[in-house]
Amino acid sequence: MFGYPLMVKSKRLAYDGRGNAVAHNKEELSSVVSSLGGFEHGLYVERWTPFAKELSVIVARSRDGCTVCYPVVETIHKDNICHVVEAPAQIPEKMKKLATSVAEKAIKSLEGAGVFAVELFLTNDNQALLNEVAPRPHNSGHHTIEACYTSQYEQHLRAILGLPLGDPAMKAPAAIMYNILGEDEGDSGFVLAHQLIKRALNIPGASVHWYAKPEIRKQRKMGHITIVGPSMFDVKAHLDRLLQRDTDGPKKVRPRAAVIMGSDSDLPIMKDAAAILEKFNIPFELTIVSAHRTPERMYAYALSAKERGLEVIIAGAGGAAHLPGMVASLTTLPVIGVPIWTKSLQGTDSLLSIVQMPKGIPVATVAIGNAENAGLLAVRMLASRDTELSDRVNEYQQNLEDSVLVKARLLEELGWDKYLEQCMKP
């Protein structure tokens, strides 16, 4: 009925790829059954599932039947063992809702209170298929200790004790959990694990959990490292550093913001946005992307912006001013439009074009030619989740206030006529 390849599993004591075997054809079936202890051991079969990603949802159910679900994560396996967990999963929102719905329905069909881990396959035709349910705190939920308001362990206790369930939402935008697996037997295995831990202690946002198991074996889970950060791009970069994948030479600093324009004639205005970003030490990229002359480039640029780690885009455009709106329609990143002054209508056509975006395509807009304010708005957006940058914005605001107060005092002391003469000479 299921055809081949066929997944054969042991009913008991099967985990981390153990107790599973694949028969690729009918001839292999007998040897696969024997390798799992024979039919008398208790076996079952599953249809082989070609999948695009492996997902997991941690679901908590209280004693009165209420449930809460943690954000969907992607689990990346190596030799059938969970190696990395990415939270949240980088999949479309509708797929997250589908996976969460399947997970919640699965748990509601079972009995018991506490935390359940629901593992799923995401197929190439966008189906979420139930793979396995583990009635306990789970490896795919370890990141919740640092990344969520309520860890899976606290949630488990709340659920079984009849206390209100906690907030499962992530308090960090992105997290990666990396399993510390035994790389060798005995003392050499411990040395390699400790070297990894030492590197982790130099990684921003990294937390080490060591399980203190007395014996180390290859592929045995000895602990885990969780890295939290402002974006998946950042935490993946830190993971690369942890695993020494970035030893091929100096790496460019990832830009957080982009300044784009339809023509190089816009640069005399757009340079003010670049100057502000430089003032606040924000890495950025600046380039020409024309909505009309290079539509394919604009399309590719906007679609890849978030994946490349950008967090905000400043787009300057004159005339028809389609660039900010078109880019905003292709990305979920915030887009700030800068109307460029033109000889024909002095920039009013650009301003009106940018602010007349249809519902569902928001573009923040500044005054005609005011790229400096666009840069400051981008800085404030980034500062909303960056404490150090927020402090610099506060300092900038304070300096503006101090500057005005100094001028006010001087005007009061000198009088208007001498102030004009000494401080405002043409």
Side-chain angles (χ1 to χ4, degrees), residues 109-121:
S109 72
L110 302 174
E111 296 180 353
V115 163
F116 299 77
V118 182
E119 298 181 76
L120 307 111
F121 293 131

PDB file of all heavy atoms in Angstrom, residues 109-121:
ATOM      1  N   SER A 109      -6.408  15.845  21.017  1.00  0.00           N
ATOM      2  CA  SER A 109      -6.905  14.479  20.831  1.00  0.00           C
ATOM      3  C   SER A 109      -6.326  13.518  21.861  1.00  0.00           C
ATOM      4  O   SER A 109      -6.730  12.357  21.930  1.00  0.00           O
ATOM      5  CB  SER A 109      -6.579  13.977  19.421  1.00  0.00           C
ATOM      6  OG  SER A 109      -5.192  13.706  19.297  1.00  0.00           O
ATOM      7  N   LEU A 110      -5.365  13.985  22.650  1.00  0.00           N
ATOM      8  CA  LEU A 110      -4.705  13.137  23.648  1.00  0.00           C
ATOM      9  C   LEU A 110      -5.150  13.538  25.051  1.00  0.00           C
ATOM     10  O   LEU A 110      -5.833  14.542  25.246  1.00  0.00           O
ATOM     11  CB  LEU A 110      -3.182  13.275  23.522  1.00  0.00           C
ATOM     12  CG  LEU A 110      -2.576  12.916  22.165  1.00  0.00           C
ATOM     13  CD1 LEU A 110      -1.087  13.252  22.148  1.00  0.00           C
ATOM     14  CD2 LEU A 110      -2.794  11.449  21.849  1.00  0.00           C
ATOM     15  N   GLU A 111      -4.709  12.767  26.036  1.00  0.00           N
ATOM     16  CA  GLU A 111      -5.003  13.088  27.428  1.00  0.00           C
ATOM     17  C   GLU A 111      -3.730  13.594  28.100  1.00  0.00           C
ATOM     18  O   GLU A 111      -2.628  13.394  27.606  1.00  0.00           O
ATOM     19  CB  GLU A 111      -5.531  11.851  28.166  1.00  0.00           C
ATOM     20  CG  GLU A 111      -6.865  11.345  27.636  1.00  0.00           C
ATOM     21  CD  GLU A 111      -7.340  10.127  28.393  1.00  0.00           C
ATOM     22  OE1 GLU A 111      -6.586   9.606  29.235  1.00  0.00           O
ATOM     23  OE2 GLU A 111      -8.476   9.674  28.130  1.00  0.00           O
ATOM     24  N   GLY A 112      -3.908  14.237  29.254  1.00  0.00           N
ATOM     25  CA  GLY A 112      -2.757  14.645  30.037  1.00  0.00           C
ATOM     26  C   GLY A 112      -2.545  16.146  30.063  1.00  0.00           C
ATOM     27  O   GLY A 112      -2.949  16.857  29.146  1.00  0.00           O
ATOM     28  N   ALA A 113      -1.892  16.612  31.119  1.00  0.00           N
ATOM     29  CA  ALA A 113      -1.543  18.024  31.260  1.00  0.00           C
ATOM     30  C   ALA A 113      -0.026  18.156  31.272  1.00  0.00           C
ATOM     31  O   ALA A 113       0.680  17.276  31.737  1.00  0.00           O
ATOM     32  CB  ALA A 113      -2.137  18.585  32.553  1.00  0.00           C
ATOM     33  N   GLY A 114       0.455  19.243  30.741  1.00  0.00           N
ATOM     34  CA  GLY A 114       1.889  19.497  30.701  1.00  0.00           C
ATOM     35  C   GLY A 114       2.313  19.990  29.341  1.00  0.00           C
ATOM     36  O   GLY A 114       1.496  20.474  28.546  1.00  0.00           O
ATOM     37  N   VAL A 115       3.598  19.855  29.068  1.00  0.00           N
ATOM     38  CA  VAL A 115       4.169  20.319  27.810  1.00  0.00           C
ATOM     39  C   VAL A 115       4.328  19.141  26.858  1.00  0.00           C
ATOM     40  O   VAL A 115       4.804  18.065  27.249  1.00  0.00           O
ATOM     41  CB  VAL A 115       5.535  20.997  28.056  1.00  0.00           C
ATOM     42  CG1 VAL A 115       6.343  21.113  26.779  1.00  0.00           C
ATOM     43  CG2 VAL A 115       5.322  22.386  28.663  1.00  0.00           C
ATOM     44  N   PHE A 116       3.913  19.340  25.607  1.00  0.00           N
ATOM     45  CA  PHE A 116       4.057  18.345  24.552  1.00  0.00           C
ATOM     46  C   PHE A 116       4.858  18.959  23.405  1.00  0.00           C
ATOM     47  O   PHE A 116       4.638  20.121  23.058  1.00  0.00           O
ATOM     48  CB  PHE A 116       2.695  17.930  23.999  1.00  0.00           C
ATOM     49  CG  PHE A 116       1.763  17.303  24.992  1.00  0.00           C
ATOM     50  CD1 PHE A 116       1.073  18.086  25.916  1.00  0.00           C
ATOM     51  CD2 PHE A 116       1.546  15.933  24.993  1.00  0.00           C
ATOM     52  CE1 PHE A 116       0.187  17.509  26.819  1.00  0.00           C
ATOM     53  CE2 PHE A 116       0.664  15.348  25.893  1.00  0.00           C
ATOM     54  CZ  PHE A 116      -0.010  16.136  26.809  1.00  0.00           C
ATOM     55  N   ALA A 117       5.745  18.169  22.825  1.00  0.00           N
ATOM     56  CA  ALA A 117       6.450  18.608  21.623  1.00  0.00           C
ATOM     57  C   ALA A 117       5.842  17.886  20.433  1.00  0.00           C
ATOM     58  O   ALA A 117       5.759  16.657  20.416  1.00  0.00           O
ATOM     59  CB  ALA A 117       7.940  18.294  21.717  1.00  0.00           C
ATOM     60  N   VAL A 118       5.401  18.664  19.453  1.00  0.00           N
ATOM     61  CA  VAL A 118       4.789  18.093  18.255  1.00  0.00           C
ATOM     62  C   VAL A 118       5.728  18.328  17.082  1.00  0.00           C
ATOM     63  O   VAL A 118       6.003  19.474  16.718  1.00  0.00           O
ATOM     64  CB  VAL A 118       3.415  18.720  17.969  1.00  0.00           C
ATOM     65  CG1 VAL A 118       2.773  18.070  16.747  1.00  0.00           C
ATOM     66  CG2 VAL A 118       2.504  18.588  19.195  1.00  0.00           C
ATOM     67  N   GLU A 119       6.242  17.241  16.523  1.00  0.00           N
ATOM     68  CA  GLU A 119       7.158  17.347  15.385  1.00  0.00           C
ATOM     69  C   GLU A 119       6.389  17.117  14.092  1.00  0.00           C
ATOM     70  O   GLU A 119       5.544  16.220  14.012  1.00  0.00           O
ATOM     71  CB  GLU A 119       8.285  16.323  15.530  1.00  0.00           C
ATOM     72  CG  GLU A 119       9.133  16.562  16.772  1.00  0.00           C
ATOM     73  CD  GLU A 119      10.270  15.561  16.901  1.00  0.00           C
ATOM     74  OE1 GLU A 119      11.264  15.696  16.170  1.00  0.00           O
ATOM     75  OE2 GLU A 119      10.127  14.638  17.727  1.00  0.00           O
ATOM     76  N   LEU A 120       6.689  17.949  13.084  1.00  0.00           N
ATOM     77  CA  LEU A 120       5.949  17.906  11.831  1.00  0.00           C
ATOM     78  C   LEU A 120       6.885  17.956  10.642  1.00  0.00           C
ATOM     79  O   LEU A 120       8.031  18.427  10.744  1.00  0.00           O
ATOM     80  CB  LEU A 120       4.979  19.098  11.736  1.00  0.00           C
ATOM     81  CG  LEU A 120       4.028  19.316  12.899  1.00  0.00           C
ATOM     82  CD1 LEU A 120       4.418  20.574  13.652  1.00  0.00           C
ATOM     83  CD2 LEU A 120       2.596  19.445  12.409  1.00  0.00           C
ATOM     84  N   PHE A 121       6.392  17.486   9.504  1.00  0.00           N
ATOM     85  CA  PHE A 121       7.074  17.654   8.224  1.00  0.00           C
ATOM     86  C   PHE A 121       6.353  18.738   7.431  1.00  0.00           C
ATOM     87  O   PHE A 121       5.120  18.703   7.306  1.00  0.00           O
ATOM     88  CB  PHE A 121       7.044  16.355   7.408  1.00  0.00           C
ATOM     89  CG  PHE A 121       7.840  15.227   7.990  1.00  0.00           C
ATOM     90  CD1 PHE A 121       7.284  13.959   8.123  1.00  0.00           C
ATOM     91  CD2 PHE A 121       9.146  15.416   8.401  1.00  0.00           C
ATOM     92  CE1 PHE A 121       8.015  12.907   8.632  1.00  0.00           C
ATOM     93  CE2 PHE A 121       9.888  14.376   8.929  1.00  0.00           C
ATOM     94  CZ  PHE A 121       9.318  13.119   9.050  1.00  0.00           C
TER      95      PHE A 121
END
